[in-house]
Amino acid sequence: MERPVPGGLRGEKEEEEEEVERVLVSEHSWRPCPTARRRVQGCLEWVKRQLFRVGEDWYFLFILGVLMATISFTMDIIVTRLYLAHMWLYREIGDIGVLKYLSWTLYPMALAAFSTGFSQSITPCSGGSGIPELKTILMGVVLEDYLAIQNFGAKVVGLTCTLVCGSTVFLGKVGPYVHLSAMAAAYLGKMRTTVTREYENKFKQHEMLVAAQAVGVATVFGAPISGVLFSIEVMSPHFAVRDYWRGFFAATCGAFMFRILAVFNSEQETIAAVFKSDLKIDFPFDLLETFFFLILGIICGIVACAYLFCQRWMMVAVKKNRVTAKLLDTDKPVYTVLVVLLLASITFPPGLGQFMASRLTMKEHLISLFDNRTWGLLAPNASGVAKPGGLWQEWDHPSATIYGTLTFFLLMKFWMLILATTLPLPAGYFMPIFIYGAAIGRLIGEVVALLFPWGLHSEGSPRPIIPAGYALAGAAAFSGSVTHAVSTALLVCEATGQLGHILPTVLAVLVANAISQKNQPSFYDAGIIVKKLPYLPPIRSRHIASYRVMVEEFMERRVVALAKGDGFQEVLVALDTSADAEYPVVESTGSPTLVGTVNRSQLVAFLQSHEHPQAPQGEKLATVGTLGDDCTIEPIMLQFSPWTSLHQAYHLFQLLKLQRVFVTRSGELVGAVSRAEDVEESGQEQDNKDNAGDAASDDGG
């Protein structure tokens, strides 16, 4: 007969504790050099404290800039090598027309089809530019999986294949690279919270995204100052000054790294502009030429309005057409192949491509248009004056003049650029319109040089016209009017290293923007409209009707609210009635004074921890409690009055990135205004304004 253990259960418990202690000791005892390990860990903690004493933002912004510059430079090298392989294949085939045509068309078709299929198979978020979606995110709207890091590889591979197509498809990389920078910034933000062990909040995420958009532009053009300004103009209707230094620091690191990599790769002798030009700056332009720069701005503004209207119409038409809509839904690579086949056939060099300088890359297009010489004077004496292999000779054709080839290029690229924007592959659209504007300016400059061969002069000896200066102004004016940005004037100067034409360039940009902003939404706002993203349409401040429309006219009156004394049954009914993320809490049913809000997750936890009134006695989870006793009620930070104007509500939603605001009268809850109602009312107000303008013009006619 065994004797019981002294102490009963207490003795067994002590034995278990001793066994656990022995196990823990044995687990730690086998680790080598415990003292050295503790010292190393202490040193690492000390280093982290010293490094983060000046702020961890500096390090992560530096990593972001260097990382995106390295990826951008590597991508450019791969694109150049693959494009040279295409040109080698085209030359080595010989003079057999059919084989030359197949080599010219099949290469970009295969790459574009792979770009579409690869990116779309991973995620649909990798297609297109990405700036409309990022602009929506910066306004406080959550777009699921858009900034997920798994999209990064899909967009890098797809964008590389798109850029290899070159002037055949005529697409760039600014927009997608901003998207890539945003994804990298979101991932680095998560890494920062892991390293610093801080709580991840939306303000830190927003700060990293603001810096990322500047890095995306700066690492493409090597222009940190204009990259920050352009990203602010395009992305943020309201910009916090505290984010200014982040954008500049990250963009400067990225632009410097991008340029220094070119020096290390022996592409440049020293750090220089991306599109280096040789304009003479002793006397860049005469005062009388300001009139022609003004005319250039007007032309760019009018053409930009036509381009924006036709591009938006094309996007809608492609979605509504039965054939194209079915292809875009089920067989996106097939649609891409058909469009690229059409574009490649038109740019085939022995065909129409010989009048469009189609053998040049997009960078060579821009460098040739910024040529310091006057083509109208060189073309008649090309055999004796021009250097062999000059890029400008691609614009010179025996059966057409320089003016004819530039005009034909503008007419054909107008609809070809619009058609290319419908392709469901990662692609940017800023660089094509930048080149298109440079072609407009080059044509105007050549015409002015033809009309005034001896130049213009207000006083002193006449000086010759420099058409390249008009190309600079045209590139900035057209791209600025399409994107509704003025900083393109500085961007073109940073990208080319020329500041002599800054004043006429700014004048042309301002005139073009004045025409474009009055008549059409920007290119990226048009993408938001077509994709029906939750974004507030613009309301012009001078439109007096936006002050007359009050919140009570369009607010949501039937709001599901809870009282502080509500129990299980009332909370269950509220959750079944509405799927809101938060619910307003009033003082009581008889006194609807708004006291705060409660999250849906807390209400679900409330239901899980309390008993149902009809539940059996054996299944009770907790004693009966009320909402006010067991849930945390968040205070209301902002409320609208029924007499708040649409104009005020619009700007508050835009400035504070609000999603929903409750409306109270004398403290009592009477309704709510969400982003959906504000978007709908703003769009209706914009339509009413346009209709009123049309009616006024009809009366005037």
Side-chain angles (χ1 to χ4, degrees):
M1 182 175 181
E2 295 180 357
R3 299 181 60 183
V5 178
L9 296 176
R10 180 181 303 175
E12 295 179 358
K13 186 175 182 181
E14 290 177 354
E15 289 182 359
E16 292 178 356
E17 291 178 353
E18 292 177 358
E19 182 67 22
V20 171
E21 185 176 356
R22 284 196 299 271
V23 171
L24 293 177
V25 171
S26 63
E27 287 182 356
H28 289 285
S29 60
W30 66 271
R31 293 183 178 180
C33 306
T35 305
R37 288 169 59 87
R38 287 195 298 269
R39 290 178 179 177
V40 171
Q41 291 177 355
C43 292
L44 292 177
E45 290 293 333
W46 181 83
V47 170
K48 188 174 75 171
R49 288 194 301 269
Q50 297 300 319
L51 289 177
F52 288 170
R53 179 172 295 179
V54 297
E56 71 276 6
D57 287 353
W58 293 91
Y59 303 102
F60 287 96
L61 293 174
F62 173 79
I63 294 173
L64 177 63
V66 172
L67 174 65
M68 297 313 299
T70 305
I71 295 175
S72 178
F73 186 78
T74 306
M75 186 183 300
D76 288 346
I77 292 179
I78 296 174
V79 168
T80 303
R81 300 288 174 83
L82 293 177
Y83 185 81
L84 291 177
H86 182 206
M87 292 296 101
W88 174 85
L89 177 64
Y90 177 77
R91 290 192 305 267
E92 292 298 322
I93 282 181
D95 297 331
I96 304 175
V98 176
L99 294 180
K100 292 179 73 70
Y101 174 78
L102 291 177
S103 66
W104 181 264
T105 57
L106 291 180
Y107 196 86
M109 286 168 56
L111 288 170
F114 177 79
S115 174
T116 302
F118 182 80
S119 59
Q120 293 292 329
S121 63
I122 296 179
T123 170
C125 300
S126 59
S129 169
I131 289 184
E133 290 83 358
L134 183 59
K135 189 173 182 179
T136 305
I137 291 176
L138 291 174
M139 287 300 298
V141 180
V142 178
L143 297 180
E144 296 293 337
D145 299 330
Y146 180 76
L147 297 178
I149 194 61
Q150 58 263 27
N151 305 340
F152 192 90
K155 194 124 190 175
V156 168
V157 175
L159 179 60
T160 303
C161 295
T162 301
L163 295 177
V164 176
C165 297
S167 59
T168 302
V169 183
F170 220 71
L171 292 172
K173 76 171 189 176
V174 176
Y177 213 75
V178 173
H179 183 195
L180 290 173
S181 300
M183 287 188 283
Y187 186 73
L188 288 175
K190 294 180 181 179
M191 289 181 56
R192 177 178 58 183
T193 57
T194 303
V195 173
T196 60
R197 298 175 183 177
E198 294 180 354
Y199 175 72
E200 184 177 4
N201 55 60
K202 294 183 179 180
F203 295 103
K204 286 291 185 181
Q205 295 176 356
H206 184 269
E207 290 170 356
M208 290 295 288
L209 291 180
V210 170
Q213 64 190 24
V215 170
V217 181
T219 51
V220 173
F221 288 100
I225 300 176
S226 56
V228 174
L229 298 179
F230 180 78
S231 62
I232 292 174
E233 283 189 288
V234 171
M235 300 288 188
S236 307
H238 295 280
F239 184 79
V241 180
R242 68 174 181 273
D243 298 330
Y244 213 53
W245 72 268
R246 293 181 175 87
F248 269 111
F249 178 73
T252 302
C253 293
F256 184 80
M257 187 66 182
F258 182 76
R259 294 189 181 186
I260 204 172
L261 284 174
V263 177
F264 289 159
N265 197 46
S266 301
E267 293 183 6
Q268 298 175 352
E269 295 180 359
T270 184
I271 295 179
V274 177
F275 306 106
K276 185 64 177 177
S277 59
D278 55 351
L279 294 181
K280 298 178 180 178
I281 59 175
D282 294 337
F283 194 86
F285 66 97
D286 193 270
L287 182 61
L288 296 178
E289 291 185 63
T290 307
F291 172 76
F292 294 102
F293 282 101
L294 180 65
I295 297 297
L296 175 61
I298 295 174
I299 294 174
C300 288
I302 295 174
V303 176
C305 290
Y307 174 82
L308 291 171
F309 174 80
C310 295
Q311 191 271 337
R312 194 167 67 252
W313 176 86
M314 177 64 75
M315 294 291 292
V316 175
V318 168
K319 289 187 175 182
K320 289 185 176 180
N321 184 271
R322 190 175 1 179
V323 178
T324 56
K326 185 177 181 180
L327 288 176
L328 288 174
D329 289 338
T330 59
D331 299 306
K332 289 183 175 66
V334 176
Y335 176 81
T336 300
V337 166
L338 294 176
V339 173
V340 174
L341 175 61
L342 174 61
L343 297 177
S345 300
I346 293 175
T347 57
F348 183 50
L352 296 178
Q354 60 186 322
F355 303 103
M356 303 166 60
S358 60
R359 289 187 296 182
L360 298 179
T361 64
M362 297 188 68
K363 184 175 182 179
E364 290 173 343
H365 269 98
L366 206 55
I367 294 176
S368 65
L369 292 171
F370 291 156
D371 190 358
N372 187 44
R373 297 168 294 183
T374 303
W375 295 350
L377 299 178
L378 293 176
N381 303 319
S383 60
V385 177
K387 296 181 180 180
L391 294 179
W392 78 273
Q393 290 182 340
E394 293 292 332
W395 299 93
D396 184 27
H397 194 270
S399 60
T401 62
I402 290 294
Y403 316 101
T405 55
L406 287 171
T407 303
F408 185 77
F409 174 86
L410 294 174
L411 292 177
M412 296 298 292
K413 284 297 181 181
F414 183 85
W415 66 267
M416 293 173 67
L417 290 179
I418 294 174
L419 182 60
T421 58
T422 64
L423 293 173
L425 44 72
Y429 311 115
F430 180 81
M431 192 66 174
I433 61 177
F434 195 77
I435 298 175
Y436 191 87
I440 296 177
R442 186 76 198 196
L443 178 60
I444 298 298
E446 293 289 342
V447 171
V448 174
L450 177 65
L451 296 177
F452 303 95
W454 301 107
L456 294 171
H457 64 98
S458 54
E459 59 181 18
S461 59
R463 296 174 177 86
I465 303 295
I466 303 177
Y470 291 84
L472 292 174
F478 186 74
S479 59
S481 58
V482 170
T483 58
H484 289 187
V486 183
S487 56
T488 53
L490 181 59
L491 178 63
V492 73
C493 294
E494 275 194 288
T496 59
Q498 299 294 335
L499 292 174
H501 289 80
I502 183 66
L503 291 179
T505 300
V506 171
L507 175 63
V509 170
L510 292 175
V511 173
N513 265 274
I515 297 173
S516 177
Q517 293 185 23
K518 181 177 177 60
N519 297 283
Q520 293 292 330
S522 72
F523 181 86
Y524 302 116
D525 288 341
I528 293 174
I529 295 171
V530 173
K531 296 178 182 179
K532 297 182 180 180
L533 298 175
Y535 184 76
L536 295 176
I539 295 181
R540 295 174 189 166
S541 302
R542 64 176 180 273
H543 187 52
I544 196 65
S546 61
Y547 294 93
R548 296 174 181 172
V549 179
M550 302 302 170
V551 164
E552 63 179 353
E553 299 180 24
F554 60 89
M555 68 180 182
E556 180 186 1
R557 299 182 182 274
R558 299 181 61 182
V559 181
V560 178
L562 294 168
K564 293 174 63 176
D566 287 347
F568 185 97
Q569 188 65 37
E570 291 80 6
V571 173
L572 180 61
V573 172
L575 291 180
D576 291 338
T577 305
S578 173
D580 296 334
E582 62 178 7
Y583 293 82
V585 180
V586 297
E587 188 66 35
S588 63
T589 305
S591 176
T593 303
L594 184 63
V595 296
T597 60
V598 61
N599 293 330
R600 185 181 183 87
S601 59
Q602 290 196 29
L603 296 179
V604 173
F606 175 83
L607 294 179
Q608 294 174 347
S609 60
H610 289 71
E611 64 175 283
H612 193 281
Q614 299 178 357
Q617 293 295 325
E619 298 182 6
K620 290 185 178 181
L621 299 176
T623 58
V624 178
T626 62
L627 180 67
D629 296 333
D630 299 338
C631 292
T632 303
I633 300 177
E634 300 292 337
I636 296 293
M637 304 301 295
L638 178 65
Q639 303 176 29
F640 281 169
S641 167
W643 302 282
T644 303
S645 67
L646 169 63
H647 189 85
Q648 293 172 324
Y650 170 84
H651 283 287
L652 286 173
F653 266 90
Q654 198 176 48
L655 178 62
L656 302 178
K657 302 174 178 59
L658 303 173
Q659 300 299 320
R660 194 184 189 196
V661 180
F662 297 106
V663 183
T664 59
R665 181 188 289 112
S666 300
E668 296 183 353
L669 179 66
V670 295
V673 177
S674 63
R675 179 176 287 267
E677 281 86 21
D678 206 9
V679 167
E680 182 179 357
E681 187 62 27
S682 301
Q684 192 174 26
E685 186 62 32
Q686 188 75 14
D687 294 339
N688 294 337
K689 178 186 67 175
D690 295 339
N691 294 335
D694 295 340
S697 62
D698 293 340
D699 294 340

